[in-house]
Amino acid sequence: MNKRDWIVLALINNNNTDLNNLIEKSTYSKALFNESLAKLVDYGYLDSKYQITSKTKEYLQESKPERAIILAAGMGLRMTPIDKIPKAMLLVNDEPVIERTIKQLHEVGIKEIYIVVGYLMEQFEYLIDKYNVELIYDHEYELKDSLYSLSLASDKLKNAYIVPSSVWFSRNPFNINEYFSWYGVSEYIENDSIVRLNRDMELIYCGDEEGGNAMTGVAYLFGEKAIKVQENLDSFSTMSKYNRESWEQTLFENNKMFVYGRLMLGQSAYQIKKYEQLRELDSQSRDLKSKRINYISEMFGVGKSEITNISGLFEGMTNRHMRFSVNGTKYLLRVPGEGSNEIIDRFQEAEVYSVLKGKDISDKIIVMTPEKGYKITEFWDKARVCNHTDWEDVTRSIKHLRKLHDMNLQVNHSFDLRDRIQHYETLRASESSFMDYEEIREKVMELLDFLDTLPKEQTLCHIDSASVNFLFVEDDIHLIDWEYAAMCDPHIDVAMFCIYADYNQDEIDKAIGIYFDQEVSEESRIKVYSYVAVSGFLWSIWSEYKANMGVDFGDYTIKQYRYAKEFYKHVMKLREEGMH
């Protein structure tokens, strides 16, 4: 039995009309239709008069849909600037997408519904009472993808629909009866699809080829196919290489899916992956309201619909970034991240950019609003960040830092390390998680007292001189994100570059040599080492504060704290050696 045979059987079972009308409705040729009829009779699904048999009725009971699993754990990072609403809860025609899906399932008698939730899971709680659904909690949604989410419901795949929560169905895709296991695709071609539908309605893996049929994420599983997917889920979900994989990986065998493809015509399954897709589907949706979009519209004097190609970029440690286009030109909007306005003085940042204007050092500001902390810059398509493991990149970046310092630019505020430590401790508003914090704090203060005895220049320093803030655009280099910039000892920028790159001592020495053209005094070397220790301590406090705001930087906090401890010892050892 192939897919065509099952479709012919479904047509006969669902329609009280003569065969000629069914042939026309099927879109198959008369010869192919009759071929399937003959096979259905041979297999006992139809009698000699082409009527449904008891075998068909038994089969339909075995294959009948009984439940659904809705996958709703993801963070929806591509929905920028919408970031406080799960995609499942987006309003289309004043109705959450997931509620429409649940109602469509109810229409065909499916009441056993499981929803795998993760990001903002509290927003789904009301569905338990309203629709008697069951929530399954994915606590690893930030680290893993839909394969892991579905594995949490792998024991519920028998006779089940798998449904993504971010697809809006214009017409009900679910049925009272299903005749085979399938995966839904559109006739539209998308570059990020990995399957193509062939003439036999098989879904062939197309890998790196130029596009495939748009994948809807909707599927139906029963029988051996459901068992096979369950086995794959239980196996794959334990392997780290599948952490970021979609659940569709469990459907492949020998470069094709082992379930049939179901073609979902037109916009019957409308995926909402991005802000603009929601805008296209429902231009009046209340969830389209956005301060960021309003700001861009106001600054450029354009209608909101003229803001296109909207997408989020990798979030930095302090801010969020959104890429967009107006009149064919690409831009980047920076907005403050959680708790950053307590750390950053945006008016001081604006002063820095004013001093940098025309110096060929930084990114190009289009507009900046210190009151909001918003900043719009040109977006460079061909830009890449400095690779801190590539010493040619590192050399260019450190020389760019030296170029900045040699300009001896001046602003009216400074970066005082003692004040910053105290300020971040106040913001943290709790004791440190490190058991020896007070002891290390005393040692850091000792290093600051030592630095006060050494001669220091005061010039505009970047402070946040991480390798990711050095952009290479063809032959040019630009240093971006100046929000921490202030007057300070330029040695601190060298130290900051090194600790952000997670350099060991040999690598730090190499960076110091580049900055000083290999003519490094012992005083300069010990100053950089001291700043490595003090800066590591400073950023460990900063990280703990951000953690209290719900932002987790993994092992970054520990690494910075280790710099404080290890380089304090190193500086003390060098000072002792210098005394003898």
Side-chain angles (χ1 to χ4, degrees):
M1 295 280 288
N2 58 34
K3 183 180 178 182
R4 184 184 74 240
D5 302 330
W6 292 120
I7 291 175
V8 170
L9 180 61
L11 284 169
I12 292 172
N13 187 43
N14 296 334
N15 295 275
N16 293 318
T17 186
D18 62 53
L19 289 181
N20 288 328
N21 287 335
L22 289 181
I23 292 171
E24 185 177 338
K25 190 170 185 177
S26 74
T27 72
Y28 297 129
S29 69
K30 187 174 183 179
L32 288 175
F33 193 94
N34 287 334
E35 183 181 308
S36 289
L37 279 179
K39 191 184 291 186
L40 289 166
V41 171
D42 287 344
Y43 278 74
Y45 290 102
L46 297 177
D47 62 21
S48 59
K49 295 182 179 179
Y50 305 127
Q51 299 297 307
I52 297 298
T53 65
S54 59
K55 182 176 181 178
T56 295
K57 294 175 182 178
E58 290 173 7
Y59 179 82
L60 291 179
Q61 280 300 114
E62 292 174 4
S63 64
K64 187 178 181 64
E66 297 176 0
R67 59 189 58 82
I69 303 165
I70 301 176
L71 301 176
M75 298 178 69
L77 296 176
R78 289 182 288 180
M79 281 303 300
T80 300
I82 300 172
D83 54 14
K84 298 297 183 184
I85 306 171
K87 287 191 290 185
M89 293 298 172
L90 292 172
L91 296 176
V92 176
N93 300 327
D94 288 326
E95 178 184 48
V97 172
I98 196 168
E99 287 201 41
R100 179 178 177 85
T101 300
I102 292 171
K103 290 173 183 177
Q104 289 171 324
L105 287 164
H106 284 183
E107 286 174 9
V108 296
I110 296 175
K111 300 295 178 68
E112 185 182 336
I113 300 173
Y114 303 91
I115 306 174
V116 185
V117 297
Y119 178 61
L120 298 175
M121 60 180 68
E122 298 83 3
Q123 294 192 26
F124 295 86
E125 185 274 338
Y126 80 98
L127 296 172
I128 298 173
D129 301 308
K130 189 171 184 178
Y131 296 106
N132 197 32
V133 302
E134 181 177 330
L135 302 186
I136 298 173
Y137 302 99
D138 178 354
H139 296 288
E140 299 194 52
Y141 65 90
E142 288 187 87
L143 303 174
K144 298 181 180 181
D145 212 309
S146 63
L147 188 149
Y148 178 77
S149 287
L150 187 57
S151 75
L152 300 174
S154 67
D155 61 335
K156 299 171 175 60
L157 294 180
K158 179 185 175 184
N159 298 68
Y161 286 109
I162 315 300
V163 191
S165 62
S166 58
V167 176
W168 186 86
F169 301 104
S170 63
R171 52 181 179 267
N172 198 331
F174 312 115
N175 299 295
I176 294 174
N177 293 310
E178 292 285 358
Y179 294 79
F180 49 84
S181 295
W182 53 263
Y183 180 86
V185 295
S186 165
E187 78 267 36
Y188 297 113
I189 302 301
E190 283 190 353
N191 289 333
D192 58 356
S193 172
I194 58 172
V195 292
R196 273 190 179 272
L197 190 65
N198 68 13
R199 291 181 179 180
D200 296 323
M201 303 305 287
E202 296 173 321
L203 291 168
I204 308 300
Y205 179 75
C206 61
D208 296 330
E209 293 179 15
E210 189 62 30
N213 291 86
M215 303 170 68
T216 67
V218 188
Y220 179 71
L221 300 173
F222 82 98
E224 293 180 359
K225 302 295 192 287
I227 293 171
K228 194 165 190 175
V229 171
Q230 178 180 357
E231 291 172 349
N232 286 344
L233 281 169
D234 292 343
S235 173
F236 295 175
S237 63
T238 65
M239 304 180 197
S240 59
K241 70 178 182 177
Y242 288 105
N243 283 353
R244 292 293 188 182
E245 292 290 351
S246 64
W247 79 271
E248 283 88 347
Q249 292 295 328
T250 65
L251 295 173
F252 283 99
E253 183 177 70
N254 297 327
N255 284 329
K256 73 176 181 180
M257 287 189 177
F258 51 75
V259 297
Y260 286 117
R262 173 183 169 185
L263 193 61
M264 307 184 83
L265 297 174
Q267 295 291 359
S268 59
Y270 194 97
Q271 296 190 61
I272 309 174
K273 296 179 180 178
K274 298 180 180 181
Y275 180 89
E276 288 171 272
Q277 290 175 322
L278 176 61
R279 189 167 66 188
E280 290 170 6
L281 184 59
D282 180 7
S283 63
Q284 302 303 311
S285 173
R286 284 179 284 158
D287 291 332
L288 291 171
K289 294 178 181 179
S290 165
K291 292 179 182 178
R292 298 179 219 180
I293 297 297
N294 290 343
Y295 177 76
I296 295 168
S297 175
E298 181 182 346
M299 292 299 103
F300 285 86
V302 297
K304 296 173 186 176
S305 62
E306 297 176 69
I307 304 166
T308 59
N309 300 318
I310 301 166
S311 63
L313 291 183
F314 172 76
E315 304 296 353
M317 288 186 160
T318 305
N319 302 305
R320 298 192 183 113
H321 297 88
M322 187 180 90
R323 184 171 53 189
F324 66 95
S325 296
V326 172
N327 296 326
T329 302
K330 296 179 181 179
Y331 301 96
L332 190 67
L333 170 66
R334 188 280 312 275
V335 298
E338 289 81 359
S340 63
N341 282 339
E342 285 73 26
I343 296 174
I344 304 299
D345 186 320
R346 300 296 178 182
F347 289 93
Q348 291 180 352
E349 180 190 17
E351 180 194 0
V352 169
Y353 272 109
S354 177
V355 169
L356 291 169
K357 188 174 181 180
K359 300 295 191 298
D360 195 29
I361 287 284
S362 67
D363 41 349
K364 184 178 179 182
I365 300 293
I366 304 301
V367 64
M368 189 171 185
T369 307
E371 295 85 355
K372 296 177 178 288
Y374 286 15
K375 177 184 73 173
I376 296 177
T377 57
E378 281 189 0
F379 180 81
W380 295 307
D381 256 332
K382 297 181 180 179
R384 66 176 182 85
V385 301
C386 166
N387 178 357
H388 67 271
T389 66
D390 181 333
W391 285 94
E392 184 176 335
D393 273 12
V394 171
T395 298
R396 290 186 64 193
S397 298
I398 291 178
K399 293 294 185 184
H400 197 69
L401 269 181
R402 185 62 186 260
K403 175 184 174 181
L404 164 68
H405 298 153
D406 288 345
M407 288 181 176
N408 196 27
L409 301 175
Q410 305 290 306
V411 292
N412 293 314
H413 58 278
S414 61
F415 192 87
D416 185 284
L417 286 161
R418 283 189 184 83
D419 289 347
R420 291 284 174 156
I421 288 171
Q422 292 173 359
H423 181 51
Y424 293 171
E425 286 175 332
T426 301
L427 291 174
R428 187 180 60 194
S430 62
E431 292 187 2
S432 173
S433 301
F434 295 106
M435 302 302 292
D436 56 357
Y437 179 83
E438 291 301 328
E439 175 190 345
I440 301 307
R441 190 183 194 282
E442 287 185 16
K443 292 178 177 178
V444 167
M445 292 301 151
E446 182 184 347
L447 282 180
L448 286 171
D449 290 339
F450 166 65
L451 283 167
D452 285 342
T453 67
L454 302 176
K456 285 183 283 189
E457 294 179 50
Q458 288 287 309
T459 187
L460 178 63
C461 294
H462 188 275
I463 307 299
D464 193 21
S465 49
S467 59
V468 294
N469 284 332
F470 292 85
L471 288 189
F472 296 115
V473 185
E474 296 178 345
D475 294 330
D476 297 325
I477 183 169
H478 303 269
L479 185 51
I480 65 172
D481 290 351
W482 292 76
E483 53 208 352
Y484 292 94
M487 300 296 291
C488 200
D489 180 351
H491 290 69
I492 197 171
D493 274 347
V494 182
M496 294 290 190
F497 184 95
C498 294
I499 65 174
Y500 293 143
D502 197 22
Y503 281 172
N504 58 34
Q505 186 178 328
D506 288 341
E507 291 168 320
I508 291 173
D509 285 336
K510 191 170 182 177
I512 293 171
I514 293 169
Y515 183 83
F516 289 102
D517 292 326
Q518 309 306 327
E519 297 180 2
V520 189
S521 68
E522 286 307 306
E523 182 179 277
S524 291
R525 190 178 302 277
I526 201 169
K527 281 174 68 178
V528 174
Y529 290 164
S530 298
Y531 283 123
V532 165
V534 176
S535 301
F537 183 74
L538 174 73
W539 296 130
S540 72
I541 306 169
W542 179 91
S543 297
E544 287 192 305
Y545 161 62
K546 296 290 277 190
N548 290 341
M549 300 292 295
V551 184
D552 183 16
F553 294 125
D555 61 358
Y556 175 84
T557 310
I558 294 176
K559 287 181 176 180
Q560 296 306 312
Y561 196 70
R562 293 302 306 171
Y563 274 123
K565 299 176 80 167
E566 292 172 8
F567 275 81
Y568 168 81
K569 293 177 185 177
H570 193 49
V571 170
M572 291 300 107
K573 180 181 178 182
L574 291 177
R575 289 181 67 188
E576 288 175 9
E577 291 173 354
M579 292 177 180
H580 299 295

